[in-house]
Amino acid sequence: MKIIRAKDYNDMSRKAANIISAQVIMKPDSVLGLATGATPVGTYKQLIDWYKKGDIDFSEVTTINLDEYRGLPKTHSQSYWYYMHENFFNHVNIPENKIHLPDGSNLNSEAACEEYEEIIRKAGGIDLQLLGIGTDGHIGFNEPGEAFELLTHCVDLTQSTIDSNQKFFGDEEMPRQAYTMGIKSIMQARKVLMIVNGESKADIIERALFGRVTPEVPASVLQMHPDFTIIGDEAAFSKI
Ligand code: PGA
């Protein structure tokens, strides 16, 4: 495990973008596992900036996102497909046919999840997986208690996730389920890069990195990953 200390959110984002950029320069046809949420927005912004300056070329890159709400069409403003296009894909040159997210519009969960694992297999596995972490230690939509051996599967969202995300859906009722890469799919990535910022993550970072490896703290499994790097700002690392 490599722990990289960053001064603040911008510094964290730049350092993460540097690692992703180095990956793509060293292996132009890299398979990048990508994440949504508030944390990676700055990393994507920095990558877009370097792309616009001509410093990085994504034309051979394949992307595989962690998760998607079940039952949302791609074009819904709260879908992760939409988030990824708004925050990253619309601004760089990744070919659309190399962009992958679970198909939230396919209500046949078994078929949607099997299809996604097949996409990961056909791509040759993930070279570098970018991850955030939830305050409860979740990675992707793998909530506490989720078995480590799962591949892509359908999850029931926890009440706390529903409570915190309902506001983004306004009057519309938000989905109650999501498709997510499982812990096993994440652990199969050749490199894992976690980014974390803010004081609200300080406690869980201490538990995830130095506590017991347990499904109760899904991110703790990363202690066992052979090539795991975490970049955090001072607030997130204030307890380690
Ligand atoms: P956040 O989400 O980046 O919005 O904090 C992280 C996560 O839940 O994985």
PDB file of all heavy atoms in Angstrom, residues 131-146:
ATOM      1  N   LEU A 131     -10.980   4.822  -7.472  1.00  0.00           N
ATOM      2  CA  LEU A 131     -12.049   4.600  -6.476  1.00  0.00           C
ATOM      3  C   LEU A 131     -12.185   5.779  -5.533  1.00  0.00           C
ATOM      4  O   LEU A 131     -11.181   6.398  -5.158  1.00  0.00           O
ATOM      5  CB  LEU A 131     -11.690   3.414  -5.564  1.00  0.00           C
ATOM      6  CG  LEU A 131     -11.773   1.984  -6.035  1.00  0.00           C
ATOM      7  CD1 LEU A 131     -11.380   1.077  -4.866  1.00  0.00           C
ATOM      8  CD2 LEU A 131     -13.175   1.644  -6.519  1.00  0.00           C
ATOM      9  N   GLY A 132     -13.420   6.054  -5.111  1.00  0.00           N
ATOM     10  CA  GLY A 132     -13.663   6.897  -3.949  1.00  0.00           C
ATOM     11  C   GLY A 132     -14.007   5.963  -2.795  1.00  0.00           C
ATOM     12  O   GLY A 132     -13.954   4.744  -2.932  1.00  0.00           O
ATOM     13  N   ILE A 133     -14.374   6.533  -1.670  1.00  0.00           N
ATOM     14  CA  ILE A 133     -14.812   5.710  -0.537  1.00  0.00           C
ATOM     15  C   ILE A 133     -15.974   6.415   0.152  1.00  0.00           C
ATOM     16  O   ILE A 133     -15.982   7.646   0.261  1.00  0.00           O
ATOM     17  CB  ILE A 133     -13.634   5.461   0.451  1.00  0.00           C
ATOM     18  CG1 ILE A 133     -14.066   4.555   1.625  1.00  0.00           C
ATOM     19  CG2 ILE A 133     -13.050   6.768   0.979  1.00  0.00           C
ATOM     20  CD1 ILE A 133     -12.908   4.118   2.535  1.00  0.00           C
ATOM     21  N   GLY A 134     -16.965   5.654   0.576  1.00  0.00           N
ATOM     22  CA  GLY A 134     -18.078   6.242   1.320  1.00  0.00           C
ATOM     23  C   GLY A 134     -17.706   6.383   2.794  1.00  0.00           C
ATOM     24  O   GLY A 134     -16.773   5.726   3.261  1.00  0.00           O
ATOM     25  N   THR A 135     -18.433   7.199   3.527  1.00  0.00           N
ATOM     26  CA  THR A 135     -18.119   7.372   4.958  1.00  0.00           C
ATOM     27  C   THR A 135     -18.356   6.072   5.733  1.00  0.00           C
ATOM     28  O   THR A 135     -17.847   5.898   6.840  1.00  0.00           O
ATOM     29  CB  THR A 135     -18.970   8.499   5.595  1.00  0.00           C
ATOM     30  OG1 THR A 135     -20.329   8.257   5.250  1.00  0.00           O
ATOM     31  CG2 THR A 135     -18.559   9.865   5.079  1.00  0.00           C
ATOM     32  N   ASP A 136     -19.109   5.141   5.155  1.00  0.00           N
ATOM     33  CA  ASP A 136     -19.304   3.831   5.798  1.00  0.00           C
ATOM     34  C   ASP A 136     -18.315   2.792   5.248  1.00  0.00           C
ATOM     35  O   ASP A 136     -18.418   1.609   5.569  1.00  0.00           O
ATOM     36  CB  ASP A 136     -20.749   3.339   5.588  1.00  0.00           C
ATOM     37  CG  ASP A 136     -21.093   3.153   4.117  1.00  0.00           C
ATOM     38  OD1 ASP A 136     -20.243   3.449   3.249  1.00  0.00           O
ATOM     39  OD2 ASP A 136     -22.221   2.697   3.828  1.00  0.00           O
ATOM     40  N   GLY A 137     -17.378   3.220   4.416  1.00  0.00           N
ATOM     41  CA  GLY A 137     -16.365   2.304   3.888  1.00  0.00           C
ATOM     42  C   GLY A 137     -16.747   1.636   2.582  1.00  0.00           C
ATOM     43  O   GLY A 137     -16.016   0.782   2.070  1.00  0.00           O
ATOM     44  N   HIS A 138     -17.889   2.034   2.000  1.00  0.00           N
ATOM     45  CA  HIS A 138     -18.278   1.357   0.754  1.00  0.00           C
ATOM     46  C   HIS A 138     -17.365   1.744  -0.405  1.00  0.00           C
ATOM     47  O   HIS A 138     -16.798   2.839  -0.432  1.00  0.00           O
ATOM     48  CB  HIS A 138     -19.762   1.582   0.416  1.00  0.00           C
ATOM     49  CG  HIS A 138     -20.122   2.948  -0.040  1.00  0.00           C
ATOM     50  ND1 HIS A 138     -21.279   3.588   0.351  1.00  0.00           N
ATOM     51  CD2 HIS A 138     -19.498   3.817  -0.884  1.00  0.00           C
ATOM     52  CE1 HIS A 138     -21.343   4.767  -0.227  1.00  0.00           C
ATOM     53  NE2 HIS A 138     -20.274   4.941  -0.978  1.00  0.00           N
ATOM     54  N   ILE A 139     -17.218   0.820  -1.347  1.00  0.00           N
ATOM     55  CA  ILE A 139     -16.532   1.105  -2.605  1.00  0.00           C
ATOM     56  C   ILE A 139     -17.471   0.667  -3.728  1.00  0.00           C
ATOM     57  O   ILE A 139     -18.056  -0.408  -3.654  1.00  0.00           O
ATOM     58  CB  ILE A 139     -15.121   0.444  -2.709  1.00  0.00           C
ATOM     59  CG1 ILE A 139     -15.120  -1.017  -2.268  1.00  0.00           C
ATOM     60  CG2 ILE A 139     -14.104   1.228  -1.907  1.00  0.00           C
ATOM     61  CD1 ILE A 139     -13.743  -1.689  -2.364  1.00  0.00           C
ATOM     62  N   GLY A 140     -17.624   1.522  -4.732  1.00  0.00           N
ATOM     63  CA  GLY A 140     -18.709   1.311  -5.684  1.00  0.00           C
ATOM     64  C   GLY A 140     -19.989   1.337  -4.861  1.00  0.00           C
ATOM     65  O   GLY A 140     -20.122   2.134  -3.925  1.00  0.00           O
ATOM     66  N   PHE A 141     -20.913   0.438  -5.154  1.00  0.00           N
ATOM     67  CA  PHE A 141     -22.112   0.326  -4.318  1.00  0.00           C
ATOM     68  C   PHE A 141     -22.015  -0.895  -3.416  1.00  0.00           C
ATOM     69  O   PHE A 141     -23.027  -1.457  -2.999  1.00  0.00           O
ATOM     70  CB  PHE A 141     -23.371   0.251  -5.184  1.00  0.00           C
ATOM     71  CG  PHE A 141     -24.025   1.592  -5.409  1.00  0.00           C
ATOM     72  CD1 PHE A 141     -24.277   2.061  -6.684  1.00  0.00           C
ATOM     73  CD2 PHE A 141     -24.407   2.392  -4.332  1.00  0.00           C
ATOM     74  CE1 PHE A 141     -24.898   3.287  -6.903  1.00  0.00           C
ATOM     75  CE2 PHE A 141     -25.018   3.626  -4.528  1.00  0.00           C
ATOM     76  CZ  PHE A 141     -25.271   4.075  -5.821  1.00  0.00           C
ATOM     77  N   ASN A 142     -20.800  -1.324  -3.111  1.00  0.00           N
ATOM     78  CA  ASN A 142     -20.612  -2.444  -2.186  1.00  0.00           C
ATOM     79  C   ASN A 142     -20.678  -1.913  -0.765  1.00  0.00           C
ATOM     80  O   ASN A 142     -19.717  -1.324  -0.260  1.00  0.00           O
ATOM     81  CB  ASN A 142     -19.269  -3.131  -2.440  1.00  0.00           C
ATOM     82  CG  ASN A 142     -19.214  -3.765  -3.814  1.00  0.00           C
ATOM     83  OD1 ASN A 142     -19.791  -4.825  -4.045  1.00  0.00           O
ATOM     84  ND2 ASN A 142     -18.543  -3.093  -4.745  1.00  0.00           N
ATOM     85  N   GLU A 143     -21.822  -2.101  -0.142  1.00  0.00           N
ATOM     86  CA  GLU A 143     -22.070  -1.555   1.182  1.00  0.00           C
ATOM     87  C   GLU A 143     -21.546  -2.521   2.243  1.00  0.00           C
ATOM     88  O   GLU A 143     -21.265  -3.685   1.936  1.00  0.00           O
ATOM     89  CB  GLU A 143     -23.576  -1.348   1.362  1.00  0.00           C
ATOM     90  CG  GLU A 143     -24.220  -0.400   0.360  1.00  0.00           C
ATOM     91  CD  GLU A 143     -23.903   1.071   0.613  1.00  0.00           C
ATOM     92  OE1 GLU A 143     -23.252   1.383   1.625  1.00  0.00           O
ATOM     93  OE2 GLU A 143     -24.307   1.903  -0.217  1.00  0.00           O
ATOM     94  N   PRO A 144     -21.410  -2.075   3.504  1.00  0.00           N
ATOM     95  CA  PRO A 144     -20.925  -2.960   4.569  1.00  0.00           C
ATOM     96  C   PRO A 144     -21.698  -4.282   4.611  1.00  0.00           C
ATOM     97  O   PRO A 144     -22.929  -4.285   4.483  1.00  0.00           O
ATOM     98  CB  PRO A 144     -21.173  -2.134   5.840  1.00  0.00           C
ATOM     99  CG  PRO A 144     -21.046  -0.726   5.379  1.00  0.00           C
ATOM    100  CD  PRO A 144     -21.647  -0.704   3.993  1.00  0.00           C
ATOM    101  N   GLY A 145     -20.949  -5.374   4.720  1.00  0.00           N
ATOM    102  CA  GLY A 145     -21.567  -6.695   4.807  1.00  0.00           C
ATOM    103  C   GLY A 145     -21.572  -7.436   3.478  1.00  0.00           C
ATOM    104  O   GLY A 145     -21.842  -8.630   3.428  1.00  0.00           O
ATOM    105  N   GLU A 146     -21.243  -6.740   2.420  1.00  0.00           N
ATOM    106  CA  GLU A 146     -21.239  -7.361   1.081  1.00  0.00           C
ATOM    107  C   GLU A 146     -20.090  -8.379   0.997  1.00  0.00           C
ATOM    108  O   GLU A 146     -18.970  -8.090   1.429  1.00  0.00           O
ATOM    109  CB  GLU A 146     -21.017  -6.245   0.060  1.00  0.00           C
ATOM    110  CG  GLU A 146     -21.430  -6.567  -1.339  1.00  0.00           C
ATOM    111  CD  GLU A 146     -22.940  -6.523  -1.531  1.00  0.00           C
ATOM    112  OE1 GLU A 146     -23.521  -5.444  -1.560  1.00  0.00           O
ATOM    113  OE2 GLU A 146     -23.498  -7.623  -1.656  1.00  0.00           O
TER     114      GLU A 146
END
